[in-house]
Amino acid sequence: PNLVLGGVQKSGTTMLHHLLASHPRIFFPRAPQEIHFFDLDENYRKGLGWYSDLFREWRGESVVGQTSPLYLYERNAAVRLHAARLDARFVFILRNPVDRAYSHYWHEVKYGWENLPFAEAIAREPERLERGAAARRHYSYLDRGRYHAQLEHFFRYFPVDRTLVVLHDDLQRNPDDLARRCAGFLGLPTEGGSPLRERSVPQNAAK
């Protein structure tokens, strides 16, 4: 891939993925939507051959993308991306960290991972994060909102000018305008109206 779409959980990554995938010159693998190769050890151990095979349906589109919202948060991801020598541009979408944390909490409640009241879950977050990678994925309500430290770490491995940071609020207010900004960043034409084809976006994708 020469496009990596990441960001933070509950920031609208799914909606942005579908907007970009509707561009005729951008290819994403149909499944899985979130590949999680460079961030999850169980996938990374499968090797670059397994990863490359996910793109086998590519038909010559100029931009080849992949989406994984954990690539910014998990520190190993930047190291592994750099080691793979991807000639890629990166788009990260961020959300108000308080809103993101609360949405993340209810996501974990919904799927049965969280049974504590919100205030107690926040108070116990530091000790929970010490339990390992799985706990970090489920209980990092505040930690994922420390965007400066995450971006600072990422920029140790990749140039700032190859990274576009966008906001959940802009996605909600004017998704077509945000898609045009992304298309321009990727070197794709933005003149003549929206760069997007008509395609439905899943309900609640930006929540």
Side-chain angles (χ1 to χ4, degrees), residues 75 78-79 82 152-159:
R75 297 176 73 83
V79 178
H82 184 262
E152 188 175 58
H153 173 74
F154 191 83
F155 292 147
R156 295 176 187 172
Y157 298 92
F158 295 97

Side-chain angles (χ1 to χ4, degrees), residues 158-200:
F158 295 97
V160 174
D161 62 4
R162 296 190 68 81
T163 303
L164 176 66
V165 177
V166 300
L167 300 179
H168 174 270
D169 288 350
D170 294 334
L171 180 65
Q172 293 277 32
R173 280 194 294 261
N174 195 332
D176 278 357
D177 181 66
L178 182 56
R180 278 189 284 269
R181 285 176 54 201
C182 293
F185 172 70
L186 297 171
L188 299 175
T190 60
E191 296 81 6
S194 172
L196 307 176
R197 295 176 292 182
E198 291 297 327
R199 184 178 296 181
S200 61

Side-chain angles (χ1 to χ4, degrees), residues 2 11 14-15 19 22 40 45 48 70 80 84 97 109 112 123 142 158 160 164 191 195 197:
N2 54 17
S11 65
T14 295
M15 183 175 180
L19 284 171
S22 70
L40 298 187
R45 284 193 291 265
L48 284 171
L70 274 172
R80 291 167 173 176
V109 170
L142 299 186
F158 295 97
V160 174
L164 176 66
E191 296 81 6
R197 295 176 292 182

Side-chain angles (χ1 to χ4, degrees), residues 1-167:
N2 54 17
L3 162 64
V4 174
L5 172 60
V8 290
Q9 185 184 29
K10 312 308 292 181
S11 65
T13 310
T14 295
M15 183 175 180
L16 186 55
H17 169 98
H18 285 280
L19 284 171
L20 295 179
S22 70
H23 193 291
R25 291 172 58 183
I26 299 179
F27 169 84
F28 283 96
R30 283 187 289 180
Q33 177 186 310
E34 296 181 2
I35 292 177
H36 291 294
F37 177 68
F38 293 99
D39 55 311
L40 298 187
D41 292 345
E42 56 267 36
N43 286 339
Y44 191 68
R45 284 193 291 265
K46 296 175 182 177
L48 284 171
W50 175 87
Y51 178 66
S52 298
D53 192 53
L54 298 175
F55 301 88
R56 61 188 175 276
E57 295 182 359
W58 174 64
R59 293 296 181 267
E61 294 89 344
S62 56
V63 176
V64 179
Q66 77 116 117
T67 299
S68 289
L70 274 172
Y71 280 3
L72 185 60
Y73 179 60
E74 290 295 348
R75 297 176 73 83
N76 278 344
V79 178
R80 291 167 173 176
L81 282 159
H82 184 262
R85 299 183 179 179
L86 293 186
D87 184 18
R89 290 180 177 268
F90 299 87
V91 176
F92 293 125
I93 182 166
L94 307 181
R95 184 179 184 180
N96 177 299
V98 176
D99 295 338
R100 196 222 67 81
Y102 198 55
S103 180
H104 182 181
Y105 168 80
W106 285 110
H107 176 88
E108 301 301 337
V109 170
K110 177 181 178 180
Y111 288 100
W113 291 99
E114 182 60 85
N115 56 16
L116 298 179
F118 181 64
E120 186 177 350
I122 294 298
R124 292 185 57 186
E125 179 175 328
E127 66 180 75
R128 284 171 141 186
L129 295 185
E130 294 179 359
R131 299 176 187 173
R136 282 171 52 82
R137 288 197 288 273
H138 294 296
Y139 306 125
S140 49
Y141 306 122
L142 299 186
D143 201 41
R144 290 202 201 201
R146 298 185 172 100
Y147 304 138
H148 181 272
Q150 295 169 46
L151 288 166
E152 188 175 58
H153 173 74
F154 191 83
F155 292 147
R156 295 176 187 172
Y157 298 92
F158 295 97
V160 174
D161 62 4
R162 296 190 68 81
T163 303
L164 176 66
V165 177
V166 300
L167 300 179

